[in-house]
Amino acid sequence: MVAPTASSSSSPGTPPPIGPEVLRVHAPADGALLGEVPIVSAAGVTAAVTRARAAASSWGALTYAEREVELVRWRRALADAADELAELIHRENGKPRLDALVEVMMALSHLDHAAKRAAKALAPEKVGTGILANFRATVSYHPLGVIGVIGPWNYPIFTPMGSIAYALAAGNAVVFKPSELTPLVGVKFVELAQKAFSVPDVLQIVTGAGPTGAALCKAGVDKLAFTGSTATGKKVMAACADTLTPVLMELGGKDPMIVAEDADVDAAAEAAVFGALTNTGQACISIERIYVAAPIYDRFVDKVVAEVAKVKVGGDDGHVGAMTSKAQVGIVKDHLEDAVRRGAKVLAGGPDAIVGNFIQPTVLVDVTDDMKVMADETFGPVIPIVKVASTEEALRRANATSFGLGSSVFGKRGKELADRVKAGMTAVNSVMAFSAITSLPFGGVGDSGFGRIHGDQGIREFARTKATAEQTFALPINMMSFRQPANAYERMRGMIKQLYGAGPVAKVKDALGRLL
Ligand code: NAD
């Protein structure tokens, strides 16, 4: 099968977008050939961006209500195709069918939210005018134009939807480059968009590997939303620097979980097992290290080991599926071997329990901060647990990382502790929940990237902010003019003292300012 691509909507005269090569997509669970997609050349990427620019002017001219109708039409088509989408995700990515269907639902919840929320999030705001009392000041938001979206393989539709839905709702056209490991579900989801939208080419797909992504960085998009590894993110930023193309970076993580001594131990252990193993541990917000207060440590570890023993690997009703790529299996194996070599104790799974692309859920204790499994992103079904003397020690060690994406805290003072975790997102007495709450901004700090998807901030990421200052009536002193009265200097000095000195007018203003 050759899946349709951007080429199918080429207009006459545009260079052929498809090179001679194709990408073959194999199922990680059994190696079966699932399909082929073209490798779109640099010329093809540029042609797609050119078409997107034409589409952006019509799409951007629609009202929010009109765009909502279009996006809801796409949402309905995706919901009708939920089984087919879930099957493609399950086969291409290797995750269990139910996980794949959950991914479809999460993606649709964000599409629905973005479609309905854009009008409010991007409504013009009247703001104070400060010293220019004769002005009206407005902040308004406008489409950027064409957004390039580069996605990973671990959540092949949920993750890109976090950018695509919000960018479309803000009035932009999008050119999407899916991961070379999971392009088929992207092709399907874009095909449904192209049928649903009345404006052609508003959402296009360019399939291929790194070079196709690199071409998108150079193709003149107005913003590049990248989700992937920190290493590739740095290359994307460097490529975009040439043209000052703004970037949104959703990168890797090393998410900590802190379990305080007053936590509900059973609930924390169950959540830890889910948070570390869901999506076969291949989530940017997977729980990757756990710090547990000493008084409850033994109980917590026992419960985690007991819960892990119930986790089913593989099969149609499995909790944990195949790892998506051999390369990722290699990284996890290397982390486990390094940990064991340096003295970690294996309580379940381990480096010897890897068969093909399947890794048995692994529980490690006696881990130290210098082990790869504690310092680098493992991205596999691994649960390293550390005993700490105090919550302060847990916080210090949780924050001693260059990453800062998600995190979780269990305990009665959870919210208080959460505010002290250096990360973009924290779940309190839960794991990962922030990604499913559509109004919450999603993103990280440090090596986990910058910028936000989801929520109002996620919509504004894809808008151009315009500041407008409108003069409404004239005053005797016009700061925006060379024509000033003879005593302008004295009057200005008097105003400075009155407004910003220690005089009575300034005092009243200061008091009012605090009240407002
Ligand atoms: P990756 O960096 O290998 O690839 C991501 C995408 O970049 C792919 O589409 C790839 O083809 C493309 N690419 C590769 N080289 C490129 C280049 N030079 N220029 C432009 N594009 C290029 O990442 P991956 O292995 O697909 O995904 C896993 C990583 O993604 C993990 O680190 C994970 O934590 C991260 N991730 C982050 C988030 C988040 O929201 N922060 C979400 C999901 C995944």
Side-chain angles (χ1 to χ4, degrees):
M1 162 190 125
V2 175
T5 69
S7 66
S8 54
S9 55
S10 289
S11 42
T14 51
I18 299 170
E21 298 162 69
V22 291
L23 272 176
R24 288 191 174 81
V25 187
H26 294 272
D30 56 16
L33 179 65
L34 299 177
E36 293 176 350
V37 291
I39 295 175
V40 178
S41 66
V45 172
T46 305
V49 171
T50 304
R51 289 191 296 271
R53 194 154 300 290
S57 62
S58 316
W59 183 256
L62 297 178
T63 64
Y64 288 109
E66 286 166 342
R67 273 200 296 270
E68 184 184 329
V69 169
E70 303 263 342
L71 291 168
V72 165
R73 206 182 301 127
W74 183 33
R75 187 203 68 197
R76 288 184 182 146
L78 289 167
D80 286 347
D83 286 332
E84 192 184 344
L85 293 167
E87 183 63 18
L88 278 170
I89 296 172
H90 162 66
R91 293 291 281 148
E92 273 191 296
N93 168 282
K95 70 179 73 178
R97 258 194 197 84
L98 178 60
D99 279 11
L101 195 63
V102 170
E103 178 176 346
V104 173
M105 190 170 82
M106 299 250 297
L108 291 183
S109 74
H110 280 286
L111 173 56
D112 189 51
H113 178 73
K116 291 173 179 159
R117 184 70 199 169
K120 273 216 173 79
L122 300 179
E125 302 161 73
K126 293 258 177 295
V127 294
T129 55
I131 50 176
L132 294 188
N134 57 331
F135 273 74
R136 185 183 301 131
T138 316
V139 182
S140 56
Y141 301 94
H142 307 271
L144 286 168
V146 179
I147 309 297
V149 174
I150 299 178
W153 45 262
N154 61 333
Y155 285 96
I157 70 167
F158 169 65
T159 290
M161 188 64 103
S163 296
I164 292 172
Y166 292 81
L168 291 173
N172 305 282
V174 172
V175 178
F176 169 43
K177 208 300 273 172
S179 166
E180 54 274 38
L181 297 180
T182 53
L184 297 177
V185 68
V187 168
K188 180 72 203 168
F189 119 136
V190 171
E191 187 188 298
L192 291 173
Q194 289 173 345
K195 283 189 189 139
F197 296 155
S198 63
V199 178
D201 299 324
V202 168
L203 175 60
Q204 299 171 75
I205 188 163
V206 288
T207 46
T212 304
L216 187 54
C217 299
K218 299 278 186 195
V221 295
D222 297 292
K223 186 161 193 167
L224 198 293
F226 175 78
T227 307
S229 62
T230 305
T232 309
K234 288 179 185 176
K235 289 186 201 162
V236 166
M237 254 185 102
C240 288
D242 265 357
T243 46
L244 282 181
T245 301
V247 289
L248 167 77
M249 287 282 147
E250 294 291 346
L251 308 177
K254 190 70 192 168
D255 289 11
M257 173 191 257
I258 294 175
V259 189
E261 61 179 85
D262 59 1
D264 177 334
V265 176
D266 287 352
E270 279 171 36
V273 171
F274 176 82
L277 304 186
T278 186
N279 216 44
T280 319
Q282 301 174 117
C284 53
I285 50 168
S286 290
I287 300 296
E288 290 239 342
R289 29 190 196 122
I290 305 181
Y291 300 95
V292 187
I296 56 163
Y297 174 81
D298 289 340
R299 269 203 301 139
F300 179 85
V301 171
D302 288 348
K303 179 71 177 167
V304 165
V305 172
E307 288 300 313
V308 164
K310 296 181 209 158
V311 170
K312 186 163 183 283
V313 179
D316 267 358
D317 59 344
H319 303 106
V320 166
M323 296 290 288
T324 307
S325 74
K326 286 239 170 320
Q328 199 54 44
V329 174
I331 292 170
V332 177
K333 192 168 194 299
D334 175 48
H335 282 204
L336 295 182
E337 285 172 349
D338 171 76
V340 170
R341 206 169 35 243
R342 292 174 191 237
K345 200 163 143 202
V346 178
L347 299 185
D352 301 329
I354 299 175
V355 180
N357 283 354
F358 289 90
I359 299 179
Q360 284 299 320
T362 294
V363 181
L364 297 175
V365 291
D366 297 343
V367 286
T368 50
D369 294 345
D370 57 342
M371 294 174 181
K372 290 181 185 177
V373 81
M374 290 300 288
D376 303 337
E377 189 180 43
T378 304
F379 226 54
V382 180
I383 311 178
I385 311 176
V386 179
K387 189 197 290 189
V388 288
S390 65
T391 317
E392 285 307 310
E393 182 189 343
L395 272 170
R396 183 174 51 73
R397 291 175 72 173
N399 286 341
T401 172
S402 59
F403 292 104
L405 192 58
S407 52
S408 93
V409 173
F410 277 76
K412 296 208 163 56
R413 294 181 303 123
K415 173 68 173 71
E416 208 179 297
L417 294 175
D419 289 341
R420 296 175 60 201
V421 178
K422 188 196 77 176
M425 302 158 294
T426 305
V428 176
N429 296 324
S430 178
V431 287
M432 299 174 150
F434 41 76
S435 64
I437 298 177
T438 49
S439 313
L440 280 178
F442 185 104
V445 295
D447 281 353
S448 296
F450 52 82
R452 293 294 181 265
I453 53 173
H454 304 176
D456 287 0
Q457 271 178 271
I459 299 174
R460 287 183 185 172
E461 274 289 338
F462 298 106
R464 171 170 55 85
T465 303
K466 163 64 67 77
T468 309
E470 256 177 289
Q471 182 171 304
T472 48
F473 59 92
L475 283 177
I477 293 190
N478 179 359
M479 281 171 56
M480 309 303 147
S481 167
F482 287 130
R483 290 174 53 183
Q484 301 291 352
N487 61 350
Y489 189 92
E490 284 69 30
R491 288 170 76 170
M492 184 67 74
R493 191 176 49 206
M495 271 171 70
I496 288 174
K497 291 208 165 146
Q498 278 192 36
L499 292 172
Y500 304 113
V505 176
K507 280 186 179 153
V508 170
K509 202 173 67 61
D510 291 345
L512 280 176
R514 273 194 297 274
L515 290 176
L516 294 175

